[in-house]
Amino acid sequence: MLDFTILTENWDMYAEGFKVTLLCSLLALIGSFLLGTILAVFRIAPIKPLNWIGTIYVEFFRNIPLLIIAFTIFVGLPTLGISFDGFQAGTIALIIYTSAFIAEAIRAGILAVHKGQTEAARSSGLTYIETMRYVILPQAIKIVIPPLGNQFINLVKNSSILSVIAAGELMYQADLISLRTYVVFDVYIIVALLYLVITLPLSYGVNYLEKRLAKSN
Amino acid sequence: MIYLITIVLNGGNSFKKANIEGFWGFGGNQMIEFKNANKYYGDFHVLKDINLTINKGEVVVIIGPSGSGKSTLLRCINRLETISEGSLTVNGIEVNDKKTDINKLRREIGMVFQHFYLYPHKTVLDNITLAPIKALGQSKEEAKKTAHAYLKKVGIPDKADSFPSQLSGGQQQRVAIARGLAMHPEIMLFDEPTSALDPEMIGEVLDVMKSLAKEGMTMVVVTHEMGFAKEVADRIIFIDKGQILEDADPTEFYVEPKEERAKAFLSRILNH
Ligand SMILES: Nc1ncnc2c1ncn2[C@@H]1O[C@H](COP(=O)(O)OP(=O)(O)OP(=O)(O)O)[C@@H](O)[C@H]1O
Ligand SMILES: [Mg+2]
C-alpha cells in the first residue's frame, strides 16, 4: 500500500511544489495562448513577412526539446548578462515551446472554417480584422477547443521537466524528498496524483466547454 | 469622333443603345466596365481579353460551360479575384488600384453565392445586420429595422430569430439576398444562386430576384435559368474558355445563338 506518511511528513515541500507547478502552468497557459494566437494569425495573414516569421518560429520551437529551450534561457542567457531564476526561465521556456503547438492548433481551426465564410464577410465590406473577429474566430474556437485542451494538459505535464533547472515545482520537490528519505516509488506516485489534481479538472473543463459550445449551434 | 473612338475602345461592341447613353451621360451610366481585361492562374489563361460594359439598372445574365470562367469574371468585380492585365472599373473607380479602398467599394456590391454562406453561429437577424452595423456604422436599431423590412421583402418575416441550420435551402438563399440588400448596394452579383437548391425551391428565389430586377437593381447573374433570363435579363453574355463569345438580347440568343459553341452549349442544357 502507498505510504501516505511520506505526504504528511513532507507536506510543506509537496505543497510548495504544487503551488509552483500550478502558478507556472497558469502563467504559461495564458502566455502561450496569447502568443500562439498571434503566431497563428501571423501564419495566415495576407502578409508574406509575417507568414515567414510565424512559420520559422513554429517549425523551430516545436521541433526541438523543451529542455534545451529551458537550458538556453537558464544557462545561456546569463552569459549575455540576462539572468532568470529557475521559475522564470522555466515559465518562459514553457511559453515559447507550447505557443508553437497552440499556434498550429488555432491555425488549423481557422483554416477549417470554410473559405466561403471569409468571402461572404469580405464581400459585404467587412475588413480582414472584422471578418476574423466576428465571423471566423467564433467558428474556429469550437473546432480548436479539444486540441487546445490537449496542449494545456501537455503543458502541465511538461512543466515537470523544469525540475532540472531547479524551478521549484512538483517534480523538483519530489526529487529532493526522495533524496532525503531514500524512498523512490511512493514519493513519485504521490506526485503523479498531485498532477492529476490539476489535469483531470482541466480535462473535464474542456469536455464541458466543448459540449456547451456544440449545443449553442 | 469621340463617339467612334468609344466604339473602337469597347472592342467593336457594335452600335448599342448602352454605349450612346454611356457617352452622352458622360460615363455616368456605366456601373461596371472591363477593358481588355485578362486573368491568369499561373500559366492558365482563365479570362481572355474581356471587354464588357454594364450600365446602371441593367440585368445581365452570364452563361457558359463549366470551367469557362463565369465565376471568375463575377468575382473580379468585387475583387474576390484580381485581374492580371487591363482595367476594370466599378462606378468609375478602378477596382485594382492600390489607392482604392476596397472595403468601401464592396459595400456598394452585394454578392450572393451558390452555397449561401450564411454565418452558422449567428441568427438570421444578426447575419443581416452584421455588415450594416460594422461596415456602415448603423445603429443596432436602425440595422434591425432594415433587416426586418428586407426579410419581409424576401417573404420570410417570421424567421428573424432562427439559425441558418433551421431553414430550408430556399429560405437560406433568400436570407443571403436580404443580407446583401441590407447594405443598400448599387450592384448585386449572383453566382448560380439556385444551383444548390431542390427544384421546388428554385421558384421562390427566382421570384425575389425578378422583383429586384424590375425595381431597377443593377444585377449580374451567373445562371442557367432560361426563364429568368428571358423574363428580366437585358442581355445574355455567353462565355466559353475565358472568352466572351456573345453579348446578345436574351430572346434572340435562346432562339438563334450566332456562335457554334453557344448552339452546342444550349442544346446540351436544354436537352436534359
Ligand atoms: N484558384 C484557382 N487556381 C487555379 N485555377 C483556378 C482557380 N479558380 C478557378 N480556376 C480554374 O479557372 C477556370 C474557371 O473557373 P470558374 O470557377 O470561373 O468557372 P465557372 O465558369 O464558374 O465554372 P462552373 O460552372 O463549374 O462554376 C476553371 O478551369 C478552374 O479550374
Ligand atoms: Mg462557377
Side-chain angles (χ1 to χ4, degrees), chain B residues 112-127:
Chain B
V112 173
F113 300 86
Q114 181 176 358
H115 297 288
F116 336 131
Y117 299 141
L118 295 181
Y119 312 131
H121 60 299
K122 290 185 179 294
T123 62
V124 163
L125 196 72
D126 291 341
N127 262 275

Side-chain angles (χ1 to χ4, degrees), chain A residues 3-203:
Chain A
D3 181 4
F4 276 103
T5 56
I6 303 262
L7 178 62
T8 47
E9 278 164 17
N10 299 285
W11 176 253
D12 288 353
M13 292 175 79
Y14 274 122
E16 172 66 13
F18 185 80
K19 206 182 77 193
V20 173
T21 291
L22 199 60
L23 186 66
C24 160
S25 299
L26 200 66
L27 289 175
L29 190 147
I30 295 167
S32 60
F33 181 68
L34 293 177
L35 185 57
T37 307
I38 293 169
L39 286 165
V41 173
F42 269 33
R43 288 205 68 183
I44 54 163
I47 302 167
K48 278 265 148 38
L50 292 186
N51 299 163
W52 296 330
I53 295 172
T55 306
I56 291 169
Y57 182 99
V58 167
E59 291 305 341
F60 185 75
F61 285 112
R62 77 171 175 172
N63 290 309
I64 60 171
L66 168 61
L67 198 52
I68 292 178
I69 304 173
F71 268 139
T72 308
I73 295 171
F74 190 60
V75 186
L77 286 187
T79 61
L80 301 173
I82 315 165
S83 56
F84 296 105
D85 63 26
F87 175 79
Q88 293 166 334
T91 308
I92 294 169
L94 266 180
I95 291 175
I96 290 175
Y97 180 73
T98 312
S99 60
F101 291 89
I102 288 183
E104 278 310 89
I106 293 178
R107 185 179 78 111
I110 292 172
L111 293 180
V113 178
H114 196 282
K115 91 180 199 312
Q117 293 287 314
T118 306
E119 290 182 351
R122 292 307 306 272
S123 68
S124 72
L126 295 181
T127 63
Y128 179 77
I129 306 273
E130 285 166 344
T131 299
M132 272 290 155
R133 175 151 168 224
Y134 301 111
V135 177
I136 305 304
L137 289 178
Q139 296 182 60
I141 195 78
K142 286 178 201 173
I143 305 167
V144 166
I145 277 178
L148 220 52
N150 285 337
Q151 290 309 328
F152 289 150
I153 289 165
N154 280 339
L155 182 155
V156 175
K157 295 186 293 180
N158 286 341
S159 70
S160 63
I161 286 177
L162 306 179
S163 59
V164 299
I165 57 167
E169 37 58 70
L170 264 177
M171 198 66 180
Y172 176 78
Q173 304 291 354
D175 289 342
L176 292 188
I177 296 166
S178 176
L179 280 176
R180 205 167 65 180
T181 58
Y182 303 106
V183 180
V184 179
F185 187 72
D186 291 11
V187 168
Y188 290 104
I189 289 294
I190 290 170
V191 165
L193 294 176
L194 289 173
Y195 274 108
L196 285 174
V197 171
I198 302 175
T199 50
L200 281 182
L202 195 56
S203 182

Side-chain angles (χ1 to χ4, degrees), chain B residues 27-35 52-54 56 73-79 81 83 87-97 100-102 104-110 185-189 218 220:
Chain B
N29 227 2
Q30 298 163 354
M31 284 301 279
I32 301 165
E33 191 165 31
F34 286 88
K35 277 191 213 150
L52 175 65
T53 305
I54 296 170
K56 194 172 170 62
L73 182 73
L74 196 71
R75 292 156 58 86
C76 284
I77 296 171
N78 65 354
R79 212 166 95 184
E81 307 287 349
I83 56 170
S87 125
L88 163 60
T89 56
V90 171
N91 226 345
I93 297 162
E94 187 67 47
V95 174
N96 294 296
D97 194 330
T100 300
D101 179 350
I102 189 63
K104 197 170 158 206
L105 190 65
R106 281 173 176 159
R107 290 179 218 153
E108 305 292 339
I109 311 171
E186 298 256 19
I187 301 167
M188 284 289 286
L189 308 177
T218 308
V220 189

Side-chain angles (χ1 to χ4, degrees), chain B residues 61-65 70 223-224 236-239 253-254 265-266:
Chain B
V61 162
I62 301 175
I63 68 168
K70 305 179 298 290
T223 183
H224 292 160
I236 296 258
I237 308 286
F238 176 73
I239 172 170
F253 178 80
Y254 284 113
F265 172 74
L266 272 186

